[in-house]
Amino acid sequence: MRTCYTGEVSPSHLDQTVTLFGWVHRRRDHGGVIFIDLRDRAGLAQIVVDPDNVAAFEIAEKLRNEFCVRVTGLVRRRPEGTTNSELASGEIEVLCREIEILNPSVTPPFQLDDDNLSETTRLTHRVLDLRRPQMQHNLMLRYRVSIEVRKYLDALGFIDIETPMLTKSTPEGARDYLVPSRVNAGQFFALPQSPQLFKQLLMVAGFDRYYQITKCFRDEDLRADRQPEFTQIDCETSFLNEEQIREIFEGMIRHVFSTVQKVELPAVFPIMAWDEAMRRYGSDKPDLRVTLEFTDVSDLMRDVDFKVFSGPANDAASRVVALRVPGGAAMPRSEIDAYTKFVGIYGAKGLAYIKVNDATSIPDGLQSPIVKNIHGQVLIQLIERTGAQSGDLIFFGADKTKVVNDAMGALRVKIGHSEFGKKAGLFVPGWKPLWVVDFPMFEYDQAEGRYFAAHHPFTSPKDGHEDYLETDPARALAKAYDMVLNGWEIGGGSVRIHRADVQNKVFRALNIDADEARNKFGFLLDALQYGAPPHGGVAFGLDRLVTMMAGAESIRDVIAFPKTQRAQCLLTQAPSAVDEKQLRELHIRLRTAE
Amino acid sequence: MRTCYTGEVSPSHLDQTVTLFGWVHRRRDHGGVIFIDLRDRAGLAQIVVDPDNVAAFEIAEKLRNEFCVRVTGLVRRRPEGTTNSELASGEIEVLCREIEILNPSVTPPFQLDDDNLSETTRLTHRVLDLRRPQMQHNLMLRYRVSIEVRKYLDALGFIDIETPMLTKSTPEGARDYLVPSRVNAGQFFALPQSPQLFKQLLMVAGFDRYYQITKCFRDEDLRADRQPEFTQIDCETSFLNEEQIREIFEGMIRHVFSTVQKVELPAVFPIMAWDEAMRRYGSDKPDLRVTLEFTDVSDLMRDVDFKVFSGPANDAASRVVALRVPGGAAMPRSEIDAYTKFVGIYGAKGLAYIKVNDATSIPDGLQSPIVKNIHGQVLIQLIERTGAQSGDLIFFGADKTKVVNDAMGALRVKIGHSEFGKKAGLFVPGWKPLWVVDFPMFEYDQAEGRYFAAHHPFTSPKDGHEDYLETDPARALAKAYDMVLNGWEIGGGSVRIHRADVQNKVFRALNIDADEARNKFGFLLDALQYGAPPHGGVAFGLDRLVTMMAGAESIRDVIAFPKTQRAQCLLTQAPSAVDEKQLRELHIRLRTAE
């Protein structure tokens, strides 16, 4: 049996005989001696096979990369000058006494330490790709996160209750994955988009505190950070208010970072109203590592002789913001041009700016084609309000509010993360969590001419906002909260509606009539009638959280067997065609056959 | 905020003011005072509302069953003679100072303590059904089992790695649940029947020790103890042999019983070869609480003048067994008749028996129509071999081996569990685990004229049995093992094949040709070529294990939202019809429309 993991052999084993299992990571022949870097999930150790040991040496000569072997040998100190401080085992080596080939390997299609593999190669040969130390690390990290989440929640009395994977299709929000029923011809299960309704039902059933780390499914067009199946840390509790719920889950993330990442997050996460986040950062998930902020200047620009500004400044659905970039006057023209193009992606029609050459001399110290159109008094107020100093640059966004927020919000992050931004101290590395709260209940969809739930239709309005549901839905704020970390929404939740009458009001605001509500959510409405407790919860995206903690580029790097952006598994070749017999049993046939 | 759970108020809170949240389990008005049994997930507490407290009394008068309330009050000792020793809170009561109705309830469709509800009622109103203390207990127990499993495995270095839910259909074994792909027209994912291949790939990828508590899916006709989706504790480890693997998982079950059930299972579980289990109990999952055993008497019956016995006795594919029932001579004729009918279910054509009135006087002391057809010498040997005593009864099974094993194996259990059996000491209550090992690799299917994998096609043959794969498959034994508890298989596993050449031999023995093997399992065969480590594992059925520990009658009693035997969810009405638009997007249409 194994003495310890290969990567764990250390000076504490000196002069001891150890037995190790692992894979040949590299073999070198040097001065008649064979050196093997043996690898397992814990890391590498150096095995030395001396030609005096004829039996072992003969076997060692046959070894190629990725052979699986058992090695027994004596742990000794490496000769001076040959130690490797990057390895736990870097000071020692194992003098091989006996070696056994447990399974040979054909030549792998790539070197495990090749960092330039295409994703197609990696996913096709996923089993070998997973042997790479980085992938081993990522999946171990993922495990540590999930087990620490469980420990934390267990200690607080949360219990893991499994909810169904084969459930009911409720076409609202994302597209469902469907599963045809064999027993019930013509009917379909849906894979859950989230356990939302079931966890609420568990609260009504009195379980008080629930969690689950579970797969959810959305059949959407995939972006870089999306997968058809993804994993949610799903939690719900009864009898707590918004603040109490946030405190629990803020503590959970703090615990995970502290135990797994050895990072202490702030003892209290900042809390920011959605409205303020949009105003200051143009985003409901601001990356607070970037120190830049918007300055609202709509009021200043109402009377300027510059339509690009005065138009939006006089439109309630638009805004004009300034984004002061300290030291930005030094930015080369090419970079400004690139940013102008960049904001175009978000619908901005241009990117006005002012170089502040001398903040004490206005307007002469300001350099910009637009300066001439703006009264001196306005310029003075502008410089004052933005706090611009000599050497700064001020960008402007002026358009429909959504365009300004999207474009200038993205620009803010882009500049912060740029080489310029990092040099200029506009980016403070580290972990910057915050809560964004007081979301609106509804978003109005111009195209469809109706309101949609900003969070989901089971979110409670803030106290005092219940009446707005009927009188002025746009004004109703929700007891909803997102946890944002470094510009990503890592979790979100809300206090739920626990009264059937309020739930019905929300359905009406969403244009869901009584019949439809009963047909889709009758079981929830029924449950709410039987003394449903006040309750609320949160769901965290495990894939995203671990991706950030691992510093990985894609969530595919923290999932053992992910799908491509075409929703395919290159390893197993799923999805695939199935037998006609199977389709017949499921009472369906292909349209392609038409 | 809550002081503690309602069910946890105890004498330690005496003279303290507590705040409790819960549901009105019962309200009684007695002597002008209102008594409320308040319930939460931890249990009940008695609230006393005095008419002197006018505000609280007025609210209390409105309370009905299942109202959700908050209560604040003083903990005091119950008056003598009114204590309830069945409750943790039985010695105390809470004198209500303040009460708030958090949510009223309409009248529930049934009383929560009604034990005679139909399953249809319970599943339709599942949310209320889940409020019943028994269901709360069952799901808490389920959680404790799963968290203790995780703790145990974590301590041994097992890591939880998620495997895909949307995977490839490999029509072998049970029917797959299929998921049509929208992006890849005409193709389908399958929901996993188990993570078997993925966990093997994770071993090849070097993760060394894996576990997952995960949903699996089989679209089979449902029996009482089956669900379309069920939960498996799925584990795999590298570099260990059969005994070492069993030791780990035997320890896991011992740990779970010790921590959750407060029961110490045997320090070492008995190990029984499959062959012996079939010989002695006619079953590969013998219930060892039943003390009865088969006695093989084929050799004795070869020359008897009784075709029913001599026929099977002279046929290699048949057997003749005796089942001695101590004290069974006292069994009434009606019971014997019932057993005769019972064995018929399993294909037995009758149930011969001998009453041993006087074991010292043969044949006169034996009472049976068949005695006259059997030589005295044989009868003497029979009595000797079975160890029958005066007052015993001997049943006989004589037929094809499978029929005898099924019928007499079931009869053995039936008698053991009967009132008679319990009185006669043929049933020893408690927990009787064992390992059944040395399973055959293959089972021959007469109808299809080919071998099937007894365990699954990735199971390693025993050392020295590899050659039988080609020469005599029926003789090949597998490194497979089942953990059996009280007559149920609660887990099973095997050492897997880690060499591609052996895997190919097994595929050939199963009539899976090279093309089919590559098409279905190419990714496994590929993986085995890259230094796959020796590995093996096990999977436990969580639903069944918890059902047994909870003493529940059905696995539906340990699943929050189960399906009926028609694979329907009565709560949400899944499966259901879906929009034509959804079907179009998935490139399928209903056959029912044809």
Side-chain angles (χ1 to χ4, degrees):
Chain A
M1 279 190 75
R2 171 163 56 202
T3 310
C4 65
Y5 280 114
T6 299
E8 288 173 355
V9 190
S10 75
S12 75
H13 296 92
L14 267 177
D15 301 322
Q16 292 174 28
T17 296
V18 294
T19 295
L20 308 174
F21 291 97
W23 287 265
V24 174
H25 192 63
R26 223 176 275 109
R27 191 194 106 185
R28 283 163 295 134
D29 298 31
H30 187 70
V33 176
I34 296 177
F35 293 89
I36 301 161
D37 283 347
L38 191 67
R39 189 195 69 239
D40 70 8
R41 79 179 204 189
L44 297 171
Q46 177 165 291
I47 314 294
V48 183
V49 192
D50 209 281
D52 295 350
N53 186 337
V54 177
F57 198 82
E58 270 181 12
I59 295 173
E61 280 188 305
K62 292 182 196 151
L63 296 181
R64 299 287 177 274
N65 281 0
E66 300 310 318
F67 273 41
C68 181
V69 299
R70 179 180 60 78
V71 172
T72 300
L74 187 75
V75 179
R76 66 182 190 189
R77 215 170 277 286
R78 292 198 195 186
E80 251 178 80
T82 66
T83 58
N84 179 346
S85 63
E86 280 177 27
L87 298 181
S89 65
E91 288 178 33
I92 53 91
E93 61 188 15
V94 178
L95 177 64
C96 176
R97 200 171 66 201
E98 205 185 300
I99 187 162
E100 184 191 357
I101 297 176
L102 299 172
N103 214 352
S105 172
V106 298
T107 305
F110 52 78
Q111 293 281 335
L112 257 62
D113 40 19
D114 182 347
D115 282 332
N116 294 308
L117 300 172
S118 76
E119 193 163 68
T120 302
T121 302
R122 290 181 54 200
L123 292 181
T124 305
H125 301 281
R126 187 57 159 183
V127 179
L128 290 174
D129 185 50
L130 286 174
R131 281 189 188 168
R132 290 144 52 93
Q134 185 61 54
M135 290 304 297
Q136 296 267 322
H137 170 81
N138 289 357
L139 291 184
M140 296 277 185
L141 175 70
R142 183 182 179 113
Y143 172 61
R144 293 308 322 162
V145 170
S146 72
I147 197 83
E148 289 300 336
V149 161
R150 290 182 190 279
K151 281 187 200 166
Y152 178 87
L153 293 173
D154 182 68
L156 290 177
F158 285 82
I159 67 171
D160 179 350
I161 302 179
E162 296 170 62
T163 55
M165 289 282 130
L166 296 172
T167 180
K168 191 184 183 180
S169 181
T170 52
E172 177 85 358
R175 235 182 254 111
D176 282 324
Y177 276 103
L178 296 183
V179 183
S181 166
R182 177 178 56 84
V183 182
N184 303 284
Q187 302 195 332
F188 293 78
F189 294 104
L191 301 180
Q193 297 189 23
S194 95
Q196 182 61 35
L197 291 174
F198 287 108
K199 70 177 172 176
Q200 292 192 233
L201 295 177
L202 289 172
M203 291 304 102
V204 181
F207 286 100
D208 196 63
R209 295 191 161 189
Y210 144 95
Y211 82 97
Q212 201 181 182
I213 301 182
T214 190
K215 283 282 175 70
C216 302
F217 303 84
R218 285 183 202 166
D219 187 10
E220 291 300 294
D221 299 311
L222 304 180
R223 288 186 264 138
D225 61 328
R226 290 280 178 87
Q227 284 280 305
E229 52 182 299
F230 55 98
T231 304
Q232 206 159 283
I233 305 169
D234 194 54
C235 310
E236 196 82 1
T237 174
S238 295
F239 303 121
L240 297 184
N241 65 25
E242 208 181 325
E243 289 72 28
Q244 291 161 336
I245 295 173
R246 285 205 305 264
E247 196 181 317
I248 287 179
F249 295 104
E250 181 176 316
M252 183 178 93
I253 295 299
R254 215 181 284 118
H255 172 80
V256 165
F257 270 79
S258 173
T259 52
V260 180
Q261 200 85 349
K262 312 296 175 202
V263 163
E264 297 306 320
L265 295 181
V268 178
F269 290 8
I271 297 170
M272 190 178 293
W274 177 84
D275 189 56
E276 183 185 344
M278 299 308 282
R279 209 170 60 236
R280 292 171 61 186
Y281 306 108
S283 167
D284 58 4
K285 36 181 186 284
D287 183 349
L288 294 190
R289 292 172 303 174
V290 175
T291 59
L292 305 174
E293 278 193 34
F294 293 0
T295 307
D296 243 311
V297 293
S298 297
D299 57 326
L300 296 183
M301 302 302 177
R302 291 217 173 99
D303 303 319
V304 297
D305 192 18
F306 184 45
K307 269 272 167 58
V308 172
F309 283 7
S310 62
N314 287 293
D315 172 23
S318 298
R319 71 185 295 201
V320 184
V321 307
L323 182 71
R324 172 194 162 215
V325 183
M331 212 182 261
R333 179 59 199 250
S334 62
E335 193 162 341
I336 296 177
D337 289 347
Y339 291 142
T340 308
K341 218 171 187 174
F342 176 73
V343 295
I345 300 171
Y346 300 89
K349 289 180 281 289
L351 181 62
Y353 64 90
I354 295 178
K355 271 191 181 165
V356 184
N357 294 327
D358 181 355
T360 62
S361 156
I362 293 171
D364 297 351
L366 304 182
Q367 177 188 340
S368 167
I370 65 171
V371 165
K372 64 179 185 304
N373 302 318
I374 305 180
H375 328 290
Q377 196 51 43
V378 169
L379 289 172
I380 288 170
Q381 284 183 276
L382 173 71
I383 297 304
E384 229 177 68
R385 194 180 288 180
T386 57
Q389 307 288 317
S390 305
D392 290 358
L393 183 74
I394 303 173
F395 286 114
F396 292 90
D399 208 318
K400 291 288 176 200
T401 300
K402 182 174 163 36
V403 172
V404 170
N405 288 344
D406 288 354
M408 298 304 285
L411 178 63
R412 173 186 166 270
V413 172
K414 182 94 174 165
I415 294 174
H417 285 252
S418 71
E419 237 172 274
F420 169 84
K422 284 179 180 164
K423 261 193 223 147
L426 310 180
F427 179 88
V428 182
W431 299 100
K432 290 280 186 185
L434 80 154
W435 288 104
V436 176
V437 303
D438 293 355
F439 281 78
M441 282 289 287
F442 307 106
E443 283 166 8
Y444 193 75
D445 187 304
Q446 293 290 354
E448 300 221 12
R450 74 168 181 101
Y451 285 103
F452 281 84
H455 193 62
H456 57 54
F458 317 108
T459 302
S460 173
K462 302 269 305 178
D463 297 336
H465 287 228
E466 205 182 293
D467 289 343
Y468 298 146
L469 298 178
E470 289 172 321
T471 58
D472 187 1
R475 207 170 148 189
L477 296 183
K479 291 184 180 173
Y481 33 81
D482 278 357
M483 190 188 288
V484 175
L485 182 64
N486 291 2
W488 291 94
E489 179 209 324
I490 59 167
S494 64
V495 170
R496 327 298 183 186
I497 296 166
H498 69 283
R499 279 169 37 203
D501 59 333
V502 180
Q503 186 63 69
N504 275 319
K505 277 187 202 171
V506 169
F507 283 150
R508 276 198 298 276
L510 291 168
N511 254 6
I512 299 176
D513 68 25
D515 277 357
E516 192 184 351
R518 173 129 297 276
N519 181 31
K520 281 184 183 168
F521 306 114
F523 57 99
L524 175 69
L525 292 170
D526 284 345
L528 294 182
Q529 292 190 308
Y530 295 107
H535 63 285
V538 68
F540 289 87
L542 180 63
D543 307 291
R544 164 60 50 203
L545 178 63
V546 175
T547 303
M548 294 183 72
M549 292 176 74
E553 286 187 11
S554 155
I555 61 169
R556 288 188 290 278
D557 282 343
V558 301
I559 296 171
F561 302 104
K563 306 282 190 294
T564 65
Q565 294 200 31
R566 293 263 317 150
Q568 289 170 313
C569 172
L570 298 183
L571 176 70
T572 60
Q573 301 297 328
S576 59
V578 298
D579 294 348
E580 177 61 19
K581 174 167 174 284
Q582 289 175 280
L583 299 182
R584 251 200 321 271
E585 285 186 327
L586 298 174
H587 319 285
I588 58 172
R589 55 183 184 135
L590 300 183
R591 270 177 201 268
T592 45
E594 282 174 7
Chain B
M1 276 190 71
R2 170 165 54 203
T3 310
C4 64
Y5 281 112
T6 298
E8 288 172 354
V9 191
S10 74
S12 73
H13 296 92
L14 266 177
D15 301 324
Q16 293 174 28
T17 296
V18 294
T19 296
L20 307 175
F21 292 98
W23 287 264
V24 174
H25 192 64
R26 219 175 279 110
R27 192 195 103 186
R28 282 162 295 134
D29 300 30
H30 188 72
V33 176
I34 295 179
F35 294 90
I36 301 161
D37 283 346
L38 191 66
R39 189 196 66 236
D40 70 8
R41 79 179 204 189
L44 297 171
Q46 177 164 292
I47 315 294
V48 182
V49 192
D50 209 280
D52 295 351
N53 186 337
V54 177
F57 198 83
E58 269 182 11
I59 295 173
E61 280 188 304
K62 292 181 195 151
L63 296 181
R64 298 288 177 273
N65 281 0
E66 300 310 318
F67 273 41
C68 181
V69 299
R70 181 179 59 76
V71 172
T72 301
L74 187 74
V75 180
R76 67 180 191 191
R77 215 169 277 286
R78 293 197 193 187
E80 251 178 79
T82 67
T83 59
N84 179 347
S85 62
E86 279 177 28
L87 298 180
S89 65
E91 288 179 32
I92 54 90
E93 60 189 14
V94 178
L95 178 64
C96 178
R97 199 172 65 203
E98 205 185 300
I99 187 161
E100 184 191 358
I101 295 177
L102 299 172
N103 214 352
S105 172
V106 298
T107 304
F110 51 80
Q111 292 281 336
L112 258 62
D113 40 18
D114 182 346
D115 283 332
N116 293 309
L117 300 171
S118 76
E119 194 163 66
T120 302
T121 302
R122 292 181 53 200
L123 293 181
T124 305
H125 302 280
R126 187 59 160 183
V127 180
L128 290 174
D129 184 50
L130 286 174
R131 281 190 187 165
R132 289 144 50 96
Q134 185 61 53
M135 290 305 295
Q136 297 267 323
H137 169 81
N138 289 358
L139 291 184
M140 297 277 185
L141 175 71
R142 184 183 178 112
Y143 172 60
R144 294 310 321 162
V145 170
S146 74
I147 198 81
E148 290 299 338
V149 161
R150 289 182 190 280
K151 282 187 199 165
Y152 178 87
L153 293 173
D154 183 67
L156 291 179
F158 284 82
I159 68 171
D160 179 349
I161 301 178
E162 295 170 63
T163 55
M165 288 282 131
L166 295 172
T167 182
K168 192 183 183 180
S169 179
T170 50
E172 176 86 359
R175 237 183 250 112
D176 282 323
Y177 276 103
L178 295 183
V179 182
S181 167
R182 177 178 57 84
V183 182
N184 304 284
Q187 301 194 334
F188 292 78
F189 294 103
L191 300 179
Q193 296 191 21
S194 96
Q196 181 61 35
L197 291 174
F198 287 108
K199 70 176 171 176
Q200 292 192 234
L201 296 177
L202 288 172
M203 291 303 102
V204 182
F207 285 100
D208 197 64
R209 294 190 163 191
Y210 144 96
Y211 82 96
Q212 202 181 183
I213 301 181
T214 191
K215 282 282 176 70
C216 302
F217 304 83
R218 287 184 202 164
D219 187 8
E220 293 298 296
D221 298 310
L222 304 179
R223 285 185 266 139
D225 60 330
R226 289 280 176 87
Q227 284 279 303
E229 52 182 298
F230 56 96
T231 304
Q232 206 160 283
I233 305 169
D234 193 54
C235 310
E236 196 82 0
T237 176
S238 296
F239 303 122
L240 297 184
N241 65 26
E242 208 182 325
E243 289 73 27
Q244 291 162 336
I245 295 173
R246 284 204 306 262
E247 195 181 319
I248 287 178
F249 295 102
E250 181 176 315
M252 182 178 94
I253 295 300
R254 215 180 283 119
H255 172 80
V256 165
F257 270 80
S258 172
T259 52
V260 180
Q261 201 84 350
K262 312 296 176 204
V263 163
E264 298 306 321
L265 294 182
V268 177
F269 290 7
I271 297 169
M272 190 178 293
W274 177 84
D275 188 56
E276 182 184 344
M278 298 310 283
R279 210 171 57 236
R280 291 172 59 186
Y281 306 107
S283 166
D284 58 4
K285 35 183 185 286
D287 183 347
L288 295 190
R289 293 173 303 175
V290 175
T291 58
L292 304 175
E293 279 192 35
F294 292 0
T295 307
D296 242 313
V297 294
S298 296
D299 58 326
L300 296 184
M301 301 301 175
R302 290 213 177 100
D303 303 319
V304 297
D305 192 18
F306 183 46
K307 267 272 165 57
V308 172
F309 283 7
S310 62
N314 286 294
D315 172 23
S318 299
R319 71 186 293 202
V320 185
V321 306
L323 182 72
R324 172 194 160 213
V325 182
M331 210 181 264
R333 178 62 198 246
S334 61
E335 193 163 340
I336 295 177
D337 288 346
Y339 290 143
T340 306
K341 218 169 188 178
F342 176 73
V343 295
I345 301 171
Y346 300 88
K349 289 179 283 288
L351 182 62
Y353 63 91
I354 295 178
K355 273 191 181 167
V356 184
N357 293 328
D358 181 354
T360 61
S361 157
I362 294 173
D364 297 350
L366 304 182
Q367 177 188 342
S368 166
I370 65 170
V371 166
K372 64 178 184 305
N373 302 317
I374 303 179
H375 327 289
Q377 196 49 41
V378 169
L379 291 172
I380 289 170
Q381 282 182 277
L382 173 73
I383 297 303
E384 225 176 70
R385 195 180 288 180
T386 57
Q389 308 288 318
S390 304
D392 290 357
L393 183 73
I394 303 172
F395 285 114
F396 292 90
D399 209 317
K400 290 289 174 197
T401 300
K402 184 174 162 32
V403 172
V404 170
N405 288 344
D406 289 355
M408 298 304 286
L411 178 63
R412 174 184 166 271
V413 172
K414 184 92 175 166
I415 294 173
H417 286 252
S418 70
E419 238 173 90
F420 169 84
K422 284 177 181 165
K423 260 192 227 152
L426 309 181
F427 179 87
V428 182
W431 299 100
K432 290 282 185 184
L434 79 154
W435 287 104
V436 176
V437 302
D438 293 354
F439 280 78
M441 284 286 288
F442 307 106
E443 283 165 8
Y444 193 75
D445 186 305
Q446 293 291 353
E448 300 221 11
R450 73 169 181 99
Y451 285 102
F452 281 85
H455 193 62
H456 57 55
F458 317 108
T459 302
S460 173
K462 301 275 297 181
D463 297 335
H465 287 228
E466 205 181 293
D467 290 341
Y468 298 146
L469 298 178
E470 289 172 321
T471 57
D472 186 3
R475 205 169 150 190
L477 295 184
K479 290 183 180 173
Y481 33 83
D482 277 358
M483 190 188 287
V484 174
L485 182 63
N486 290 4
W488 291 94
E489 178 207 326
I490 60 167
S494 63
V495 171
R496 325 300 182 186
I497 296 166
H498 68 284
R499 280 167 39 203
D501 59 334
V502 179
Q503 186 64 70
N504 275 321
K505 275 187 203 170
V506 169
F507 284 150
R508 275 198 297 276
L510 290 168
N511 253 10
I512 299 175
D513 68 27
D515 276 359
E516 191 184 352
R518 174 130 293 278
N519 182 32
K520 283 184 182 165
F521 306 114
F523 57 99
L524 175 69
L525 293 170
D526 284 346
L528 294 182
Q529 291 191 307
Y530 294 107
H535 63 286
V538 68
F540 288 87
L542 180 63
D543 308 291
R544 165 60 49 202
L545 178 62
V546 176
T547 304
M548 293 182 72
M549 291 175 74
E553 284 187 11
S554 154
I555 62 169
R556 287 186 293 277
D557 282 343
V558 300
I559 295 172
F561 302 104
K563 307 280 189 296
T564 65
Q565 294 200 31
R566 293 263 316 152
Q568 288 171 313
C569 172
L570 297 183
L571 176 69
T572 60
Q573 300 298 328
S576 59
V578 299
D579 293 350
E580 176 62 19
K581 175 167 172 284
Q582 290 175 281
L583 299 182
R584 253 201 318 273
E585 286 186 326
L586 297 175
H587 319 284
I588 58 172
R589 56 181 184 135
L590 299 183
R591 270 177 201 268
T592 44
E594 282 172 8

